[in-house]
Structures are given as C-alpha cells and as structure tokens.
Amino acid sequence: MPVLFYGSSTAFNQTSSSSCQNRSFCTVYLTADTPNPFGPAFTGIAGADAFCQASPNRPSHVVQAKAFLVGTGVRIASVSANAGDGQIDWVLFPGKEYRKADGVTVIGTTLANRLLSLPLNSGFSFIGDTLQLTGMNPDWTFPAGGDCAGWTGGGTNAGVSFGDSVDAGALNGGTLLCSSGPVKLRCVEQ
C-alpha cells in the first residue's frame, strides 16, 4: 500500500520497496557531524552508506541512501574528466532531479551520464554546512588527494567539498588530513 509523505510544500507517494528512481526527484541530505569519519564512525564506503542510512537527519520518506563518496575500486563516478565512464556503484541516476532535504530546493538534474552539470542550481546543503567528504576531483574523477585508504582511517588526506558551492567546489574544495574531524557525509536517496 502506498504511503503518502509530505515535506514542506511537496507531497509524493512511495511504497516501502520503491526507489526514488520511480519518482520525479531524489533527495540529498547531510548526516550530523561524524565524530571520527575515518575510524569508529564508519569503515569503508559500505560503512559510510550505513552511516547515511542510520543518520537521524535521514528524511522519513528516504527508504535507502548511499554516501556521495568515491573510493578506489569500490565507488567511481567517472574515470575520465566529466565523462561518467567506468562508473562503479555510483549513487546518482540518469536524468533525475535532485533536491535538498526540504523537498523543494533543486540542486540540479543529472545528464544521461549520471553526473550533474556545473554550475548547480543550488549547493548540496545550506550555508554553514560547508565541509563534506567526497574523495573526488572537481571533474568527478578519483583521487582528489585521497580517500584515507578507502575511508578506513589510513593514508594522509581526505578529499572534501564545500556544501554551499554551486561550482567545482561542490565536488572538491581541497583536502583535510585523515585525522581531521568532524565533517559531514552527503547522502543520496536511492
């Protein structure tokens, strides 16, 4: 039986087993700060996905979510700059509109290659939620200075983005030391 969800001024139907791929848009939200994003909080991309899923910030209509992260051989957005080639377990759907957790603010719509074109309509988050882990370069490729040894706490650097940016900084705004924290994860409804 479909369940009706309301968010701000938006209402939509979703069954508990359905994906946002079957709706007009998917939701992007942020986790609360991770106390140690590279250690006990989560281990690897699968752990980051679980952290997104368990986040108290996950909107009630989001049945399944994955972390907007790339990592060596596990999750790839693009092998070549801005091409969307060689994707592995990528979190965006083709031709899909993505909105912030308010259900109203449009971030952008993906192209057939499952990437958003820049500049975005709006940043992934609101002003103040700045640094978010991504691990990617500003052209969707990997690495952007590192993924802390597959997001397990090793290595030196973590690629981060600026959540309120609409240009290349939305994908990569530099790096942090792997021992840094706290930071947020960007989570994408599936």
Side-chain angles (χ1 to χ4, degrees):
M1 175 170 176
V3 178
L4 189 60
F5 293 98
Y6 294 91
S8 297
S9 61
T10 305
F12 52 90
N13 286 314
Q14 178 175 327
T15 61
S16 61
S17 63
S18 72
S19 163
C20 68
Q21 190 172 11
N22 302 318
R23 287 198 332 262
S24 61
F25 71 91
C26 294
T27 303
V28 178
Y29 63 97
L30 301 181
T31 62
D33 287 341
T34 58
N36 179 352
F38 316 108
F42 62 85
T43 303
I45 289 199
D49 291 346
F51 197 80
C52 279
Q53 196 65 26
S55 174
N57 292 353
R58 181 172 56 95
S60 61
H61 70 270
V62 174
V63 176
Q64 183 69 34
K66 289 185 177 183
F68 188 94
L69 286 176
V70 295
T72 311
V74 179
R75 182 165 294 151
I76 296 173
S78 191
V79 173
S80 305
N82 302 308
D85 59 337
Q87 291 176 339
I88 298 174
D89 192 33
W90 186 229
V91 300
L92 301 178
F93 296 117
K96 180 61 60 181
E97 182 178 272
Y98 286 86
R99 297 182 187 179
K100 293 181 185 181
D102 66 6
V104 176
T105 308
V106 176
I107 296 166
T109 301
T110 52
L111 304 169
N113 65 2
R114 299 173 62 180
L115 302 179
L116 294 159
S117 58
L118 301 175
L120 302 171
N121 294 28
S122 174
F124 282 95
S125 61
F126 297 100
I127 294 172
D129 289 321
T130 52
L131 292 182
Q132 298 158 20
L133 297 172
T134 61
M136 67 180 67
N137 288 317
D139 61 7
W140 300 91
T141 60
F142 174 86
D147 66 350
C148 295
W151 305 109
T152 62
T156 306
N157 294 313
V160 295
S161 67
F162 296 115
D164 56 356
S165 179
V166 296
D167 57 18
L171 303 178
N172 178 276
T175 59
L176 285 177
L177 294 175
C178 293
S179 58
S180 297
V183 292
K184 296 179 186 289
L185 282 176
R186 187 180 293 161
C187 305
V188 181
E189 182 181 11
Q190 297 299 291

